[in-house]
Amino acid sequence: MTQAPVAPQRPHVRRIHGTETDDPWHWLRDQDDPAVREYLEAENAYTEAATVHLADLREQIFGEIKARTKETHQSLPTPKDDWEYRARTVEGLQYVIHVRRPRGGTDDDEVVLLDENELAEGHEYFAVGDLAVSPDHRLLAYTTDTDGDEKYTLTVVDIATGEVLDGPDVPGPGCGLSELSYGLVWANDNSTLFAVLTDDALRPNRVIRHVVGTDPAGDVEVYREDDERFWVGVGATSSERFVVIGSQSKITSEQRLVEADRPASEPLLVRERRAGIEYGLDHQGERLLIVTNDGALDFRLVEAPVPSEGSTPAAGDAPVEGAPPGHDSTWRELIGAREGIRIDGLDCFQDFVVVHERQDGLVRLRVHDTRDAQPSGLSPNGAGVGTSGTGTDGRGDANPGELGPAFEIEMPEPVYEAGGGANAEFDTRRYRFGYTSMVTPPSIFELDLDSGERELLDQLPVLGDVDLTAYTTERITATAPDGTAVPISLVWKPGAISWPAPCLLYGYGAYEIGMPASFSTVRLSLLDRGVLFAIAHVRGGGELGRAWYEGGKLDSKHNTFDDFAACAGHLTTDRWADPQRICARGGSAGGLLMGAMVNRHPDLFCGVVAEVPFVDVLNTMLDPDIPLTVTEYDEWGDPNDPAAFETIRSYAPYENVEPADHPALLITAGLADPRVQYWEPAKWVAKLRATTTSTKPILLRTEMGAGHGGPSGRYDAWRDEAFILAFICDVLGVA
């Protein structure tokens, strides 16, 4: 086998809080140093040589993924006004084609709006950030990234003629916008766009108003966020009456509204920020529906009047004397705090609302028919003259006089994921929602609120001789060292598995993001080889409410690591998994988790896959010039504070590499990655190589033309996944 590259060590000392720490691989941060690219390319060559024996297996797995996928496929049409919009893929093409046809029309009436394959020609990487059709359905605005650095450029075209009205290649003043972040919203005048710009650290910090075809130098800055902990975004209410400008940190949010019919009007502040208070909103009739954690750890639903020009929003709830928290003259509670139930958000329509809740780790979709509700009592000046009290009955259901009668959409399996679908029309009595489980492909259902009938409209096809009834899923729990019960989602193929089984354990555990127990066509290649797949729903994620998240961040971050190790231990102790054949996988913040496992429990896993891992946490958080660093302080802590410094230093993977018999490691990076800089995994690999006592491979694979998400084309992504799955099969002994 080719000898592993050795990254040279160059003197560098970090000095802070009275400590001095050698960091001899600090030089890898300098992308302009030719030695950096030379080293990364040498690592790629070594990884390829070290896995050459898996080439046939990679091709086999890629072929399996391809054979199970309907390569030429059209999405379900999404109706909007006189049109139906859909996306399709074509066999042999990497990217999506966006099309539309008249409502009720046929495929012969179809018109191509955007062919991503044409735009991607000549680019190693290509991604569409936002795609938005003007309210009159005449213009198409979209943003593109051709480097993977998540900096987007705007283009606007006339759908009927194909003329480019705004874009980088248009001569004259309409030269297009660049350096955009996510977020693109049309005003109702069909010529004004609201977009988000970033600062030098790639923090989305400004919302601008741009008129199509005009010089960006004349764009109006509608809002600027100067607090580096906050980032901004734009959206629209479901009613299309307002453009929403949101500013938020990891723990605090603030919202402003611009009338979509008057795009030049001043943004109206809904409620000014207050540390630790979050809220999101939508609009229905003469009220705003707001989901907030003000007075409720797991959020509650309130209503408020639409702000008007000249009104001054309060800084926070000022309870009426003797009333429960949250009852004041402007924000009225509709659904209060309920133990064990987290309100995640809502889908709002003209005369019904779907509230997204999570209980026992499972999504609950509760439909409230506001058409049959009694008036809420909001007067034009915002004074609440309706009923007092909690706003809920003894079961915790909304008071019919405020939200209307409610029912929960029944789900067919005990463990699943569900959420709102493509519901583009506000005035409708039909609700589309998505559903999946670890054994059920992504499905789209439509519920008729008047008849109560539910129809399966579409399901992701799985081709070949796949019998989905041959797979089994179950949820079990492990016990963490502090006694906390940690859920584990499992899926396997009984006809292929032998107990205790080779096992792949996946984890994340950060940002209150829950890992969905959803279906994966790609995963079938593991299950068919007798591998047990498990998801550890560790603290730091959002599966079990806000307390579950807070129990795995800042000073409690160790719980994330303890939970994952406990899940691995439970799987082996209860003979689900073979203790000699259990592999771990995680990416980004989940890659940090993988790094902690490698350091703390090097003998627990036979292999670890860490994708774009956030492993040099301390050095990254000490550098405010790195993209997104300051906004992350609320998640990890600010190491400029000595106590936070010591906490992060206690677990940061790069800081804690020690001599050990490490497992086989496959580590990935993206050269253009703005979220986890390529040098974090590169430095970690260099330090591991110089320290380990193991002879097992430590492999680094850097995408030289991509970012955080890896290759952009679907075939390239399948090959990338086949590479990783072949490595996993190899270390598990099922190759």
Side-chain angles (χ1 to χ4, degrees), residues 254-567:
E254 185 177 72
Q255 311 287 339
R256 289 169 170 79
L257 303 178
V258 176
E259 291 188 43
D261 288 337
R262 298 194 305 137
S265 61
E266 287 297 313
L268 303 174
L269 178 62
V270 175
R271 174 141 297 179
E272 68 182 43
R273 70 189 61 175
R274 201 171 68 197
I277 302 302
E278 301 169 64
Y279 68 94
L281 59 84
D282 210 335
H283 167 251
Q284 185 190 60
E286 297 305 314
R287 66 179 178 180
L288 301 178
L289 294 174
I290 300 172
V291 175
T292 180
N293 69 337
D294 192 3
L297 179 66
D298 279 325
F299 292 73
R300 61 190 177 110
L301 178 64
V302 303
E303 67 174 359
V306 175
S308 58
E309 291 186 19
S311 63
T312 303
D317 288 345
V320 176
E321 184 177 356
H327 284 67
D328 71 355
S329 62
T330 57
W331 284 30
R332 298 186 64 256
E333 186 172 275
L334 301 178
I335 302 177
R338 292 158 296 163
E339 186 176 355
I341 300 177
R342 168 73 149 89
I343 298 181
D344 283 336
L346 53 84
D347 290 324
C348 191
F349 300 87
Q350 182 165 293
D351 57 13
F352 71 95
V353 174
V354 181
V355 180
H356 297 240
E357 302 175 351
R358 190 173 288 271
Q359 184 176 15
D360 298 326
L362 296 175
V363 173
R364 314 286 190 190
L365 300 179
R366 295 186 61 81
V367 182
H368 297 261
D369 195 340
T370 58
R371 183 180 60 178
D372 298 328
Q374 299 299 315
S376 64
L378 286 175
S379 64
N381 65 3
V385 296
T387 60
S388 61
T390 65
T392 61
D393 63 21
R395 298 185 305 276
D397 295 335
N399 188 318
E402 298 177 348
L403 264 186
F407 65 90
E408 183 176 314
I409 300 176
E410 295 184 2
M411 303 298 173
E413 296 171 289
V415 181
Y416 60 89
E417 291 293 330
N423 294 288
E425 297 190 305
F426 187 63
D427 184 7
T428 181
R429 294 291 291 173
R430 294 178 175 272
Y431 177 66
R432 287 185 180 181
F433 64 95
Y435 176 90
T436 183
S437 77
M438 297 185 83
V439 296
T440 301
S443 309
I444 298 175
F445 290 89
E446 186 170 81
L447 175 69
D448 187 317
L449 266 70
D450 294 322
S451 69
E453 295 181 357
R454 175 170 59 183
E455 180 184 1
L456 175 62
L457 299 182
D458 193 32
Q459 186 175 81
L460 179 73
V462 181
L463 305 184
D465 57 355
V466 178
D467 177 9
L468 294 179
T469 64
Y471 302 88
T472 299
T473 184
E474 186 174 335
R475 179 163 288 181
I476 61 174
T477 57
T479 303
D482 64 358
T484 299
V486 183
I488 308 173
S489 296
L490 304 173
V491 63
W492 70 94
K493 187 176 185 179
I497 206 163
S498 297
W499 306 105
C503 175
L504 176 61
L505 179 62
Y506 190 90
Y508 187 75
Y511 303 116
E512 203 172 5
I513 296 174
M515 286 295 99
S518 55
F519 184 83
S520 168
T521 302
V522 170
R523 188 190 300 144
L524 298 180
S525 289
L526 287 180
L527 306 185
D528 290 349
R529 287 172 170 81
V531 176
L532 170 69
F533 181 82
I535 301 173
H537 300 285
V538 296
R539 278 174 283 185
E543 289 90 340
L544 295 175
R546 176 52 60 90
W548 195 253
Y549 166 51
E550 293 181 344
K553 63 180 290 194
L554 297 173
D555 293 344
S556 299
K557 190 60 194 173
H558 63 90
N559 287 328
T560 304
F561 315 137
D562 291 344
D563 288 357
F564 194 81
C567 289

Side-chain angles (χ1 to χ4, degrees), residues 197-212:
L197 294 175
T198 62
D199 62 13
D200 292 339
L202 294 187
R203 177 179 66 97
N205 73 322
R206 288 161 289 160
V207 174
I208 55 95
R209 189 174 68 237
H210 174 73
V211 177
V212 173

